[in-house]
């Protein structure tokens, strides 16, 4: 049964309304006080805000110590050194990888996420061990969230033997997206790296997600190679650039030319809202027609002490790092953290049409929803209160930060 009647909610902070959900979709939005249909479970919205549920499109589901005793962070810094540090320690954790991944995915859902696109690391050390843990976590929470798994070559594809074969095995064993990482900076052979990434994606008919930390001109060079392959294989709507720091470093008018090419090929961007010089110009991306989604990244792991599995917190960070102050743009950050990510995962959903678009709560939209406490959406982003109700496929899956 995926029917539910929400009474007394404020879609995107608008007038008090009732929302009828049928078969996991929004079937009607009416003025509050409309008689609920017979036999449909009813939820009192208490006047809270109704927005689409959060979509986490960049989360390392196998890189977390949330729920475990505090471990002083001693990561050395830098992608390769941190990868080796994680490799040296992840098996020492007080709980298994399956337990940790399952716990973290549960926390994400409890805080309001029902759509996830997350990584499972695949390399010469762990082989498919971490993927299997993430697949098990997805199974445990299958009724609470839709989870897509990216096979992620954290240690590169070429630096250690046998990794492309492992990636192929990952795509046969639960991963549904082909990952790549810093084709120049890590593997130092961008053409070979990207030919493997796009070759496997093409063969398996899956989407691509490339971690691109490479700065400035170097990142732009990799991005051009990605654009070239997206065009050649006609992977419109199926390629995502994660981080994309180069877009924060590229000056105008070159930036607008690159964004136009990305928009034409429907290449999306996943950001974790980094501070400082790597902060992406969010508004410019959205207005160029680029799908942008938000992610939590690693969560208190062997790389970094940050992370609390709350994508509403990360939404605040997205607004803060962009210097957003007015309600319209703070709300835009919330639209990106919720609907924006959903459109990255599912390109059949319409992209945000600019900073004033507030989609995801109209008749016909999927009943992937969250009720937030707050006078207005921008206030909810500032206060990040715990009184939340999370709805997946028309059913309540979490309440007040606890799974139900
Ligand atoms: Zn990442």
């Amino acid at each position: 049964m995926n029917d539910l009647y929400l009474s007394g909610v404020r879609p995107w902070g608008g007038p008090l309304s009732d929302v009828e959900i049928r078969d996991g979709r929004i079937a009607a939005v009416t003025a509050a006080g409309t008689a609920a249909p017979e036999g449909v479970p009813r939820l009192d919205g208490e006047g809270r805000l109704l927005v689409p549920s959060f979509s986490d499109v960049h989360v390392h589901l196998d890189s977390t110590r949330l729920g475990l005793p505090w471990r002083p962070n001693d990561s050395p810094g830098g992608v390769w050194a941190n990868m080796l540090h994680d490799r040296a320690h992840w098996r020492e954790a007080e709980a298994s990888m399956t337990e940790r991944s399952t716990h973290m995915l549960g926390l994400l859902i409890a805080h309001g996420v029902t759509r996830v696109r997350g990584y499972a690391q695949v390399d010469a050390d762990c082989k498919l061990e971490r993927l299997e843990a993430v697949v098990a976590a997805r199974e445990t929470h299958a009724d609470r969230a839709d989870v897509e798994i990216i096979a992620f070559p954290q240690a590169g594809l070429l630096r250690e033997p046998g990794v492309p074969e492992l990636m192929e095995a990952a795509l046969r064993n639960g991963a549904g997206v082909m990952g790549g990482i810093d084709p120049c900076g890590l593997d130092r052979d961008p053409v070979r790296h990207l030919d493997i990434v796009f070759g496997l994606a093409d063969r398996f008919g899956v989407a691509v997600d490339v971690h691109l930390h490479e700065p400035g001109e170097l990142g732009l060079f990799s991005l051009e190679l990605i654009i070239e392959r997206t065009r050649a294989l006609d992977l419109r709507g199926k390629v995502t650039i994660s981080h994309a720091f180069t877009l924060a470093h590229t000056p105008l008018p070159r930036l607008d030319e690159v964004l136009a090419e990305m928009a034409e090929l429907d290449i999306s961007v996943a950001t974790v809202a980094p501070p400082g010089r790597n902060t992406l110009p969010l508004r410019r991306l959205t207005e160029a027609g680029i799908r942008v989604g938000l992610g939590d990244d690693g969560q208190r792991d062997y790389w970094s002490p940050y992370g609390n599995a709350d994508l509403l917190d990360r939404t605040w960070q997205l607004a803060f790092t962009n210097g957003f102050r007015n309600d319209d743009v703070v709300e835009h950050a919330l639209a990106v953290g919720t609907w924006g990510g959903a459109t990255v995962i599912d390109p059949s959903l319409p992209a945000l049409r600019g900073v004033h678009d507030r989609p995801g709560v109209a008749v016909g939209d999927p009943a992937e929803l969250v009720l937030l406490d707050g006078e207005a959406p921008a206030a909810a982003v500032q206060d990040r209160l715990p009184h939340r109700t999370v709805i997946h496929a028309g059913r309540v899956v979490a309440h007040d930060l606890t799974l139900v």
Side-chain angles (χ1 to χ4, degrees), residues 110 127 130 193 207 227 284 291 374 382:
K127 302 191 170 65
R130 293 166 73 138
H193 180 98
I227 288 171
R284 192 160 211 105
R291 299 171 191 272
Q382 298 309 322

Side-chain angles (χ1 to χ4, degrees), residues 58-60 119 152 154 211 213 242-243 272 297-298:
H58 187 114
V59 58
H60 293 266
Y119 301 93
F152 179 48
Q154 177 77 72
H211 269 64
H213 309 95
S242 273
H243 302 304
V272 300
D297 215 355

Side-chain angles (χ1 to χ4, degrees), residues 74-328:
D74 55 355
S75 56
V79 172
W80 187 255
N82 272 341
M83 186 284 297
L84 289 175
H85 179 73
D86 173 79
R87 186 179 278 187
H89 294 290
W90 70 271
R91 288 187 176 87
E92 301 164 0
E94 297 87 336
S96 73
M97 186 58 91
T98 298
E99 289 165 324
R100 283 187 281 153
S101 300
T102 304
H103 179 67
M104 177 160 85
L105 181 54
L107 285 177
L108 289 173
I109 297 163
H111 285 82
V113 167
T114 70
R115 299 182 257 218
V116 180
R117 193 192 246 189
Y119 301 93
Q121 183 168 330
V122 176
D123 67 26
D125 166 69
C126 67
K127 302 191 170 65
L128 300 190
E129 199 177 333
R130 293 166 73 138
L131 172 70
E132 285 159 7
V134 172
V135 169
R138 172 169 68 180
E139 273 306 303
T140 300
H141 295 295
D143 292 338
R144 302 188 180 107
D146 293 323
V147 179
E148 201 170 54
I149 301 171
I150 304 161
F152 179 48
Q154 177 77 72
L157 290 167
L158 307 171
R159 293 174 70 125
E160 298 175 308
V163 180
E165 292 75 15
L166 286 167
M167 298 298 291
E168 193 178 325
L171 291 170
R172 293 188 197 286
N173 288 280
V177 180
M178 178 64 194
I181 180 170
D182 294 338
C184 297
L186 195 58
D187 273 341
R188 295 173 171 271
D189 192 340
V191 168
R192 255 177 86 205
H193 180 98
L194 290 172
D195 283 350
I196 293 170
V197 170
F198 279 82
L200 283 174
D202 189 39
R203 237 174 80 206
F204 284 84
V206 298
V208 168
D209 175 288
V210 181
H211 269 64
L212 196 58
H213 309 95
E214 294 166 0
E217 283 296 330
L218 188 66
L220 212 49
F221 175 66
S222 290
L223 183 52
E224 281 165 356
L225 295 179
I226 291 167
I227 288 171
E228 193 179 283
R229 281 155 185 75
T230 306
R231 195 186 296 282
L233 293 169
D234 194 19
L235 291 177
R236 273 180 178 70
K238 296 184 81 172
V239 175
T240 303
I241 312 292
S242 273
H243 302 304
F245 294 156
T246 180
L247 297 179
H249 310 154
T250 301
L252 294 170
R254 182 78 183 101
L255 175 61
D256 281 345
E257 290 164 17
V258 176
L259 295 182
E261 267 192 291
M262 290 174 66
E264 184 215 328
L265 293 168
D266 206 357
I267 294 175
S268 57
V269 168
T271 183
V272 300
R277 64 183 292 271
N278 291 328
T279 296
L280 300 183
L282 180 64
R283 187 171 185 156
R284 192 160 211 105
L285 265 62
T286 310
E287 287 176 344
I290 311 271
R291 299 171 191 272
V292 183
L294 185 62
D296 265 320
D297 215 355
Q299 294 289 287
R300 192 175 299 181
D301 52 15
Y302 294 96
W303 294 61
S304 153
Y306 290 94
N308 62 358
D310 187 353
L311 210 69
L312 180 52
D313 256 27
R314 193 62 67 140
T315 298
W316 174 89
Q317 187 174 317
L318 181 65
F320 181 76
T321 53
N322 267 274
F324 291 165
R325 288 172 178 242
N326 294 349
D327 277 41
D328 60 345

Side-chain angles (χ1 to χ4, degrees), residues 334-403:
L334 185 58
V336 168
T338 56
W339 186 260
T343 75
V344 169
I345 297 170
D346 179 1
S348 76
L349 297 174
L352 287 171
R353 289 164 299 150
V355 293
H356 297 106
D357 197 11
R358 302 286 178 266
V361 292
V363 171
D365 284 331
E368 304 292 323
L369 301 164
V370 61
L371 292 170
L372 298 176
D373 203 358
E375 288 173 66
V381 172
Q382 298 309 322
D383 293 338
R384 307 185 294 284
L385 297 169
H387 187 27
R388 307 178 198 177
T389 304
V390 187
I391 295 165
H392 167 59
R395 287 178 305 103
V396 173
V397 294
H399 187 68
D400 291 352
L401 311 189
T402 306
L403 297 176

